[in-house]
Amino acid sequence: MAVLPIRITGDPVLHSPALPVETIDDGIRALVADMFETMDAAPGVGLAGPQVGVALRLFTFGWTDESDQLWRGVAINPELWITPAVPGHPDPDLESEGCLSFPGERFPLRRAERALLRATDLDGNRFEIEAEGWLARIFQHEFDHLEGTLYTDRLTDREQRIVAKICRKVGWGEPGVSWMPGVDDLEA
């Protein structure tokens, strides 16, 4: 297993819809193992194929909820259904999120409270998870990556101006910029 470089906002792979995984083979299994190692080293709670430069519809997730239940797995060719988000402004203390492709920053973002994830695991078995709260947020965030959307794309105009300023200041927003978890100390 190996830690993979994480692509930074501006890389074209992050802004294009990913392609379906056609076959779950040893190459996909090795990629998923590397993605878990990268996600854990970052540390993060999710990592999508495009974030490591692989334009395929898969993501890993790993998070322990308030009752100490570990939610860890891979979603291959996922489908996601969400409830409508409650209208209004997000609570910056409870609804902020960050992204390994825009490291060191967090912004408030309203998401749906519940989500239904249907996907395939590494053994080719279909599964379904009904998620709420933070797990639902993780699924929405990672699924967005597969659609070519970063969470920063969903922010208010004011916050997007801050994002653009940070990108200019630290030299992000260019194709090919990446960082290595456990090696690089990337703070905006």
Side-chain angles (χ1 to χ4, degrees), residues 125-145:
N125 299 315
R126 295 285 296 162
F127 68 90
E128 181 175 295
I129 298 174
E130 291 184 34
E132 55 185 54
W134 199 254
L135 186 59
R137 178 177 293 273
I138 292 167
F139 290 164
Q140 291 169 76
H141 182 108
E142 299 310 324
F143 190 83
D144 272 356
H145 279 297

PDB file of all heavy atoms in Angstrom, residues 125-145:
ATOM      1  N   ASN A 125     -20.667  -6.909  -4.245  1.00  0.00           N
ATOM      2  CA  ASN A 125     -21.992  -6.979  -3.617  1.00  0.00           C
ATOM      3  C   ASN A 125     -22.603  -5.579  -3.512  1.00  0.00           C
ATOM      4  O   ASN A 125     -21.923  -4.636  -3.098  1.00  0.00           O
ATOM      5  CB  ASN A 125     -21.892  -7.585  -2.213  1.00  0.00           C
ATOM      6  CG  ASN A 125     -21.351  -8.990  -2.246  1.00  0.00           C
ATOM      7  OD1 ASN A 125     -21.751  -9.804  -3.066  1.00  0.00           O
ATOM      8  ND2 ASN A 125     -20.410  -9.276  -1.366  1.00  0.00           N
ATOM      9  N   ARG A 126     -23.876  -5.485  -3.842  1.00  0.00           N
ATOM     10  CA  ARG A 126     -24.594  -4.215  -3.681  1.00  0.00           C
ATOM     11  C   ARG A 126     -24.948  -4.049  -2.212  1.00  0.00           C
ATOM     12  O   ARG A 126     -25.236  -5.023  -1.514  1.00  0.00           O
ATOM     13  CB  ARG A 126     -25.886  -4.205  -4.518  1.00  0.00           C
ATOM     14  CG  ARG A 126     -25.670  -4.268  -6.017  1.00  0.00           C
ATOM     15  CD  ARG A 126     -25.194  -2.991  -6.640  1.00  0.00           C
ATOM     16  NE  ARG A 126     -26.192  -1.934  -6.509  1.00  0.00           N
ATOM     17  CZ  ARG A 126     -25.933  -0.648  -6.654  1.00  0.00           C
ATOM     18  NH1 ARG A 126     -24.726  -0.238  -6.922  1.00  0.00           N
ATOM     19  NH2 ARG A 126     -26.886   0.243  -6.524  1.00  0.00           N
ATOM     20  N   PHE A 127     -24.902  -2.808  -1.741  1.00  0.00           N
ATOM     21  CA  PHE A 127     -25.297  -2.524  -0.366  1.00  0.00           C
ATOM     22  C   PHE A 127     -26.019  -1.191  -0.306  1.00  0.00           C
ATOM     23  O   PHE A 127     -26.005  -0.411  -1.269  1.00  0.00           O
ATOM     24  CB  PHE A 127     -24.090  -2.538   0.591  1.00  0.00           C
ATOM     25  CG  PHE A 127     -23.117  -1.410   0.375  1.00  0.00           C
ATOM     26  CD1 PHE A 127     -23.260  -0.201   1.055  1.00  0.00           C
ATOM     27  CD2 PHE A 127     -22.045  -1.552  -0.497  1.00  0.00           C
ATOM     28  CE1 PHE A 127     -22.366   0.841   0.856  1.00  0.00           C
ATOM     29  CE2 PHE A 127     -21.151  -0.516  -0.693  1.00  0.00           C
ATOM     30  CZ  PHE A 127     -21.309   0.677  -0.012  1.00  0.00           C
ATOM     31  N   GLU A 128     -26.642  -0.954   0.823  1.00  0.00           N
ATOM     32  CA  GLU A 128     -27.414   0.267   1.031  1.00  0.00           C
ATOM     33  C   GLU A 128     -27.186   0.741   2.463  1.00  0.00           C
ATOM     34  O   GLU A 128     -27.195  -0.073   3.391  1.00  0.00           O
ATOM     35  CB  GLU A 128     -28.897  -0.042   0.794  1.00  0.00           C
ATOM     36  CG  GLU A 128     -29.820   1.124   0.944  1.00  0.00           C
ATOM     37  CD  GLU A 128     -31.252   0.743   0.556  1.00  0.00           C
ATOM     38  OE1 GLU A 128     -31.485   0.431  -0.633  1.00  0.00           O
ATOM     39  OE2 GLU A 128     -32.110   0.758   1.443  1.00  0.00           O
ATOM     40  N   ILE A 129     -26.963   2.035   2.628  1.00  0.00           N
ATOM     41  CA  ILE A 129     -26.815   2.632   3.957  1.00  0.00           C
ATOM     42  C   ILE A 129     -27.745   3.830   4.043  1.00  0.00           C
ATOM     43  O   ILE A 129     -27.677   4.729   3.193  1.00  0.00           O
ATOM     44  CB  ILE A 129     -25.370   3.085   4.241  1.00  0.00           C
ATOM     45  CG1 ILE A 129     -24.407   1.903   4.207  1.00  0.00           C
ATOM     46  CG2 ILE A 129     -25.293   3.817   5.595  1.00  0.00           C
ATOM     47  CD1 ILE A 129     -22.930   2.299   4.338  1.00  0.00           C
ATOM     48  N   GLU A 130     -28.618   3.817   5.043  1.00  0.00           N
ATOM     49  CA  GLU A 130     -29.427   4.994   5.349  1.00  0.00           C
ATOM     50  C   GLU A 130     -28.644   5.803   6.368  1.00  0.00           C
ATOM     51  O   GLU A 130     -28.371   5.316   7.465  1.00  0.00           O
ATOM     52  CB  GLU A 130     -30.781   4.587   5.922  1.00  0.00           C
ATOM     53  CG  GLU A 130     -31.671   3.919   4.898  1.00  0.00           C
ATOM     54  CD  GLU A 130     -33.052   3.593   5.454  1.00  0.00           C
ATOM     55  OE1 GLU A 130     -33.555   4.368   6.299  1.00  0.00           O
ATOM     56  OE2 GLU A 130     -33.595   2.563   5.042  1.00  0.00           O
ATOM     57  N   ALA A 131     -28.261   7.007   5.998  1.00  0.00           N
ATOM     58  CA  ALA A 131     -27.394   7.821   6.849  1.00  0.00           C
ATOM     59  C   ALA A 131     -28.093   9.107   7.234  1.00  0.00           C
ATOM     60  O   ALA A 131     -28.933   9.623   6.500  1.00  0.00           O
ATOM     61  CB  ALA A 131     -26.106   8.145   6.105  1.00  0.00           C
ATOM     62  N   GLU A 132     -27.694   9.615   8.396  1.00  0.00           N
ATOM     63  CA  GLU A 132     -28.162  10.940   8.794  1.00  0.00           C
ATOM     64  C   GLU A 132     -27.031  11.665   9.475  1.00  0.00           C
ATOM     65  O   GLU A 132     -26.002  11.069   9.823  1.00  0.00           O
ATOM     66  CB  GLU A 132     -29.411  10.870   9.659  1.00  0.00           C
ATOM     67  CG  GLU A 132     -29.311  10.030  10.883  1.00  0.00           C
ATOM     68  CD  GLU A 132     -30.656   9.947  11.607  1.00  0.00           C
ATOM     69  OE1 GLU A 132     -31.661   9.571  10.965  1.00  0.00           O
ATOM     70  OE2 GLU A 132     -30.668  10.257  12.792  1.00  0.00           O
ATOM     71  N   GLY A 133     -27.191  12.957   9.633  1.00  0.00           N
ATOM     72  CA  GLY A 133     -26.185  13.761  10.306  1.00  0.00           C
ATOM     73  C   GLY A 133     -24.866  13.789   9.557  1.00  0.00           C
ATOM     74  O   GLY A 133     -24.822  13.953   8.341  1.00  0.00           O
ATOM     75  N   TRP A 134     -23.777  13.611  10.322  1.00  0.00           N
ATOM     76  CA  TRP A 134     -22.438  13.749   9.751  1.00  0.00           C
ATOM     77  C   TRP A 134     -22.152  12.695   8.682  1.00  0.00           C
ATOM     78  O   TRP A 134     -21.512  12.988   7.672  1.00  0.00           O
ATOM     79  CB  TRP A 134     -21.387  13.681  10.859  1.00  0.00           C
ATOM     80  CG  TRP A 134     -20.084  14.257  10.393  1.00  0.00           C
ATOM     81  CD1 TRP A 134     -18.969  13.560  10.066  1.00  0.00           C
ATOM     82  CD2 TRP A 134     -19.779  15.634  10.145  1.00  0.00           C
ATOM     83  NE1 TRP A 134     -17.986  14.414   9.639  1.00  0.00           N
ATOM     84  CE2 TRP A 134     -18.452  15.690   9.677  1.00  0.00           C
ATOM     85  CE3 TRP A 134     -20.498  16.810  10.267  1.00  0.00           C
ATOM     86  CZ2 TRP A 134     -17.826  16.885   9.338  1.00  0.00           C
ATOM     87  CZ3 TRP A 134     -19.872  18.004   9.932  1.00  0.00           C
ATOM     88  CH2 TRP A 134     -18.560  18.034   9.473  1.00  0.00           C
ATOM     89  N   LEU A 135     -22.634  11.459   8.856  1.00  0.00           N
ATOM     90  CA  LEU A 135     -22.411  10.427   7.845  1.00  0.00           C
ATOM     91  C   LEU A 135     -23.094  10.809   6.533  1.00  0.00           C
ATOM     92  O   LEU A 135     -22.525  10.631   5.454  1.00  0.00           O
ATOM     93  CB  LEU A 135     -22.889   9.060   8.338  1.00  0.00           C
ATOM     94  CG  LEU A 135     -22.588   7.874   7.427  1.00  0.00           C
ATOM     95  CD1 LEU A 135     -21.085   7.711   7.188  1.00  0.00           C
ATOM     96  CD2 LEU A 135     -23.184   6.593   8.015  1.00  0.00           C
ATOM     97  N   ALA A 136     -24.302  11.350   6.617  1.00  0.00           N
ATOM     98  CA  ALA A 136     -24.997  11.822   5.404  1.00  0.00           C
ATOM     99  C   ALA A 136     -24.191  12.928   4.739  1.00  0.00           C
ATOM    100  O   ALA A 136     -24.083  12.982   3.505  1.00  0.00           O
ATOM    101  CB  ALA A 136     -26.403  12.306   5.753  1.00  0.00           C
ATOM    102  N   ARG A 137     -23.601  13.812   5.534  1.00  0.00           N
ATOM    103  CA  ARG A 137     -22.757  14.893   5.000  1.00  0.00           C
ATOM    104  C   ARG A 137     -21.543  14.313   4.284  1.00  0.00           C
ATOM    105  O   ARG A 137     -21.182  14.756   3.187  1.00  0.00           O
ATOM    106  CB  ARG A 137     -22.312  15.819   6.133  1.00  0.00           C
ATOM    107  CG  ARG A 137     -21.401  16.953   5.694  1.00  0.00           C
ATOM    108  CD  ARG A 137     -21.039  17.878   6.844  1.00  0.00           C
ATOM    109  NE  ARG A 137     -22.198  18.611   7.311  1.00  0.00           N
ATOM    110  CZ  ARG A 137     -22.613  19.770   6.804  1.00  0.00           C
ATOM    111  NH1 ARG A 137     -21.951  20.333   5.819  1.00  0.00           N
ATOM    112  NH2 ARG A 137     -23.686  20.365   7.282  1.00  0.00           N
ATOM    113  N   ILE A 138     -20.895  13.322   4.888  1.00  0.00           N
ATOM    114  CA  ILE A 138     -19.726  12.696   4.262  1.00  0.00           C
ATOM    115  C   ILE A 138     -20.110  12.117   2.901  1.00  0.00           C
ATOM    116  O   ILE A 138     -19.411  12.335   1.905  1.00  0.00           O
ATOM    117  CB  ILE A 138     -19.137  11.592   5.175  1.00  0.00           C
ATOM    118  CG1 ILE A 138     -18.531  12.208   6.436  1.00  0.00           C
ATOM    119  CG2 ILE A 138     -18.100  10.754   4.418  1.00  0.00           C
ATOM    120  CD1 ILE A 138     -18.208  11.198   7.521  1.00  0.00           C
ATOM    121  N   PHE A 139     -21.216  11.380   2.849  1.00  0.00           N
ATOM    122  CA  PHE A 139     -21.643  10.781   1.576  1.00  0.00           C
ATOM    123  C   PHE A 139     -21.924  11.851   0.527  1.00  0.00           C
ATOM    124  O   PHE A 139     -21.546  11.694  -0.636  1.00  0.00           O
ATOM    125  CB  PHE A 139     -22.878   9.905   1.780  1.00  0.00           C
ATOM    126  CG  PHE A 139     -22.622   8.637   2.552  1.00  0.00           C
ATOM    127  CD1 PHE A 139     -23.678   7.928   3.098  1.00  0.00           C
ATOM    128  CD2 PHE A 139     -21.339   8.126   2.740  1.00  0.00           C
ATOM    129  CE1 PHE A 139     -23.469   6.754   3.806  1.00  0.00           C
ATOM    130  CE2 PHE A 139     -21.116   6.951   3.444  1.00  0.00           C
ATOM    131  CZ  PHE A 139     -22.183   6.265   3.983  1.00  0.00           C
ATOM    132  N   GLN A 140     -22.594  12.932   0.918  1.00  0.00           N
ATOM    133  CA  GLN A 140     -22.898  14.003  -0.037  1.00  0.00           C
ATOM    134  C   GLN A 140     -21.613  14.655  -0.547  1.00  0.00           C
ATOM    135  O   GLN A 140     -21.472  14.930  -1.749  1.00  0.00           O
ATOM    136  CB  GLN A 140     -23.802  15.050   0.611  1.00  0.00           C
ATOM    137  CG  GLN A 140     -25.203  14.527   0.873  1.00  0.00           C
ATOM    138  CD  GLN A 140     -25.998  15.463   1.746  1.00  0.00           C
ATOM    139  OE1 GLN A 140     -26.455  16.497   1.278  1.00  0.00           O
ATOM    140  NE2 GLN A 140     -26.153  15.114   3.021  1.00  0.00           N
ATOM    141  N   HIS A 141     -20.675  14.907   0.358  1.00  0.00           N
ATOM    142  CA  HIS A 141     -19.411  15.544  -0.005  1.00  0.00           C
ATOM    143  C   HIS A 141     -18.643  14.681  -1.005  1.00  0.00           C
ATOM    144  O   HIS A 141     -18.184  15.167  -2.049  1.00  0.00           O
ATOM    145  CB  HIS A 141     -18.587  15.778   1.270  1.00  0.00           C
ATOM    146  CG  HIS A 141     -17.295  16.477   1.033  1.00  0.00           C
ATOM    147  ND1 HIS A 141     -17.077  17.778   1.401  1.00  0.00           N
ATOM    148  CD2 HIS A 141     -16.133  16.047   0.473  1.00  0.00           C
ATOM    149  CE1 HIS A 141     -15.846  18.127   1.075  1.00  0.00           C
ATOM    150  NE2 HIS A 141     -15.250  17.086   0.514  1.00  0.00           N
ATOM    151  N   GLU A 142     -18.499  13.388  -0.705  1.00  0.00           N
ATOM    152  CA  GLU A 142     -17.740  12.498  -1.580  1.00  0.00           C
ATOM    153  C   GLU A 142     -18.461  12.263  -2.911  1.00  0.00           C
ATOM    154  O   GLU A 142     -17.824  12.215  -3.968  1.00  0.00           O
ATOM    155  CB  GLU A 142     -17.423  11.179  -0.876  1.00  0.00           C
ATOM    156  CG  GLU A 142     -16.584  11.325   0.381  1.00  0.00           C
ATOM    157  CD  GLU A 142     -15.340  12.175   0.219  1.00  0.00           C
ATOM    158  OE1 GLU A 142     -14.697  12.135  -0.859  1.00  0.00           O
ATOM    159  OE2 GLU A 142     -14.993  12.892   1.179  1.00  0.00           O
ATOM    160  N   PHE A 143     -19.775  12.139  -2.859  1.00  0.00           N
ATOM    161  CA  PHE A 143     -20.541  11.963  -4.099  1.00  0.00           C
ATOM    162  C   PHE A 143     -20.375  13.186  -4.998  1.00  0.00           C
ATOM    163  O   PHE A 143     -20.244  13.061  -6.220  1.00  0.00           O
ATOM    164  CB  PHE A 143     -22.021  11.709  -3.782  1.00  0.00           C
ATOM    165  CG  PHE A 143     -22.815  11.294  -4.974  1.00  0.00           C
ATOM    166  CD1 PHE A 143     -22.844   9.980  -5.393  1.00  0.00           C
ATOM    167  CD2 PHE A 143     -23.542  12.234  -5.700  1.00  0.00           C
ATOM    168  CE1 PHE A 143     -23.581   9.594  -6.507  1.00  0.00           C
ATOM    169  CE2 PHE A 143     -24.279  11.857  -6.816  1.00  0.00           C
ATOM    170  CZ  PHE A 143     -24.294  10.535  -7.221  1.00  0.00           C
ATOM    171  N   ASP A 144     -20.363  14.379  -4.394  1.00  0.00           N
ATOM    172  CA  ASP A 144     -20.129  15.598  -5.175  1.00  0.00           C
ATOM    173  C   ASP A 144     -18.825  15.498  -5.962  1.00  0.00           C
ATOM    174  O   ASP A 144     -18.755  15.921  -7.117  1.00  0.00           O
ATOM    175  CB  ASP A 144     -20.079  16.833  -4.269  1.00  0.00           C
ATOM    176  CG  ASP A 144     -21.433  17.462  -4.015  1.00  0.00           C
ATOM    177  OD1 ASP A 144     -22.441  17.001  -4.604  1.00  0.00           O
ATOM    178  OD2 ASP A 144     -21.488  18.430  -3.227  1.00  0.00           O
ATOM    179  N   HIS A 145     -17.768  14.964  -5.327  1.00  0.00           N
ATOM    180  CA  HIS A 145     -16.493  14.818  -6.040  1.00  0.00           C
ATOM    181  C   HIS A 145     -16.661  13.985  -7.309  1.00  0.00           C
ATOM    182  O   HIS A 145     -16.033  14.276  -8.325  1.00  0.00           O
ATOM    183  CB  HIS A 145     -15.439  14.164  -5.145  1.00  0.00           C
ATOM    184  CG  HIS A 145     -14.772  15.104  -4.205  1.00  0.00           C
ATOM    185  ND1 HIS A 145     -14.002  16.166  -4.624  1.00  0.00           N
ATOM    186  CD2 HIS A 145     -14.745  15.140  -2.853  1.00  0.00           C
ATOM    187  CE1 HIS A 145     -13.539  16.818  -3.583  1.00  0.00           C
ATOM    188  NE2 HIS A 145     -13.977  16.215  -2.485  1.00  0.00           N
TER     189      HIS A 145
END
